[in-house]
Amino acid sequence: MAASLGGKIKVSTVHSMAVLSQSEPPSAGAFGFGDTMKALLQFHSANGAPFMINPYPFFAYQSDPRPETLAFCLFQPNAGRPDANTGIKYMNMFDAQVDAVHSALKGMGFKDVEIVVAETGWPYKGDPNEVGPSLESAKAYNANLINHLRSMVGTPLMPGKSVDTYIFALYDENQKPGPASERSFGLFKPDLSVTYEAGLSKSAQTPAPTPTTPAPATTPTPATPAPVNPAPATPTTPVNPAPTTPTTPVNPAPTFSGWCVPRQGISDAQLQANLDYACGQGIDCGPIQPGGACFEPTTVASHAAYAMNVYYQSAGRNSGSCDFSQTATVTTTNPSYNSCVYPGGST
């Protein structure tokens, strides 16, 4: 108070998902610890302090190590998981866990208390007997999480709001006891070298030359590196060159003109999965971020349509790059509007 910081610095503490006595389905999320939790939330509400939670889809996958669960946890295309109470289909574990906390707060009468994700991440390596840790999965989780948050879509129960989220961890805790995974969450190693690029640096947000085609839920694989074009040799003039006959390419790869857009009747949950996937492949999703030419309207359908089309164009307009589990189609009608320009058009 002497420094005139009263009301500016909020006091809170972090909680694991174990504070929930029920987390499935998300709409039925409920707290345990009765009066203790209620008193804590009363303090948060009275002081405008956030409730801080540590959701880790990684641990959810460890308890249910099926391929479809991995895709659900990594924000990759999957069949989704419906909430029987609301009919909402969740397309990723992060949203489901955060909404379970939201439901628990609402159920205890504290829906005004803001949620902050104090920790979330994925280990890039572990002991031989550990399920889940891998460099590919860690990179996929953090990169797709970042793109999901940047989209400003929010969660099904908190739409249009990006929950403040802190990635665990900046550096490996190389002296931490326990399994190897506990020492392998860092984006950087203790010697300051980069473990992997998660999409936080500006250079990592440039479009990838050849993104991969969306596929059903599978274990993530590293992106194919772009070919390096050799420097052209200095041309020389041939002496008495022999005439050559032009040849026609044999079986050229089919390409299609136009723009890739979502089909009619596709749910927001599926469109969100398409958006997360497309932006997670390294394309430029800056125009649909705050301040971008295509940020408005701030709907899942609008943002997904832009991202899906950029992915399609970046992939060379190949037939399989506008599929998205049969939720997309190619149109000859330019979807651009106002200052929002969709790349593409006729070949």
Side-chain angles (χ1 to χ4, degrees):
M1 297 299 290
S4 301
L5 295 176
K8 296 181 180 179
I9 298 178
K10 305 301 180 182
V11 177
S12 187
T13 186
V14 299
H15 308 82
S16 75
M17 292 296 290
V19 297
L20 297 179
S21 60
Q22 181 172 345
S23 60
E24 294 185 14
S27 62
F31 287 120
F33 305 99
D35 292 340
T36 300
M37 185 59 67
K38 188 171 184 178
L40 177 66
L41 294 175
Q42 285 174 335
F43 172 85
H44 287 324
S45 181
N47 291 278
F51 182 77
M52 307 185 82
I53 193 74
N54 295 351
Y56 277 91
F58 165 69
F59 295 121
Y61 173 62
Q62 280 197 316
S63 64
D64 179 20
R66 295 175 295 160
E68 55 266 36
T69 303
L70 182 62
F72 187 67
C73 290
L74 295 181
F75 299 86
Q76 294 176 333
N78 64 92
R81 298 186 179 183
D83 184 317
N85 295 334
T86 62
I88 293 171
K89 181 182 283 189
Y90 282 83
M91 302 306 296
N92 66 80
M93 181 66 78
F94 179 84
D95 281 355
Q97 291 182 328
V98 172
D99 272 359
V101 175
H102 173 77
S103 295
L105 287 169
K106 184 178 179 181
M108 197 166 270
F110 296 98
K111 65 178 182 180
D112 62 312
V113 173
E114 182 183 1
I115 297 172
V116 169
V117 173
E119 285 185 22
T120 189
W122 199 286
Y124 62 87
K125 70 177 180 181
D127 291 324
N129 63 341
E130 286 191 89
V131 176
S134 78
L135 182 62
E136 293 80 8
S137 293
K139 184 176 181 179
Y141 177 74
N142 283 321
N144 290 337
L145 170 66
I146 291 166
N147 285 320
H148 180 55
L149 296 170
R150 281 176 173 162
S151 74
M152 299 294 290
V153 172
T155 71
L157 296 184
M158 294 182 290
K161 181 181 185 332
S162 181
V163 176
D164 286 348
T165 300
Y166 295 84
I167 292 178
F168 183 85
L170 186 59
Y171 296 100
D172 283 341
E173 296 178 309
N174 60 319
Q175 297 184 20
K176 190 175 184 178
S181 61
E182 289 292 329
R183 297 181 291 280
S184 307
F185 276 85
L187 301 180
F188 293 84
K189 295 179 180 177
D191 63 2
L192 306 186
S193 62
V194 178
T195 306
Y196 60 89
E197 177 54 62
L200 288 172
S201 67
K202 193 168 185 179
S203 62
Q205 298 173 32
T206 55
T210 309
T212 54
T213 302
T218 57
T219 301
T221 57
T224 303
V228 178
N229 296 324
T234 303
T236 57
T237 304
V239 179
N240 298 324
T244 58
T245 303
T247 58
T248 302
V250 179
N251 297 326
T255 58
F256 299 82
S257 61
W259 298 264
C260 180
V261 296
R263 293 181 183 273
Q264 294 293 323
I266 304 302
S267 70
D268 279 358
Q270 181 60 56
L271 291 175
Q272 179 64 56
N274 294 351
L275 172 62
D276 292 340
Y277 181 85
C279 290
Q281 300 309 304
I283 65 171
D284 182 12
C285 287
I288 56 176
Q289 293 172 13
C294 303
F295 180 65
E296 298 288 350
T298 55
T299 64
V300 179
S302 178
H303 288 185
Y306 182 86
M308 291 162 66
N309 179 67
V310 174
Y311 175 89
Y312 169 67
Q313 305 297 334
S314 300
R317 289 183 282 190
N318 294 319
S319 57
S321 60
C322 185
D323 181 74
F324 291 92
S325 301
Q326 301 181 354
T327 64
T329 187
V330 175
T331 180
T332 56
T333 302
N334 190 341
S336 301
Y337 59 93
N338 300 332
S339 61
C340 177
V341 178
Y342 278 57
S346 59
T347 54

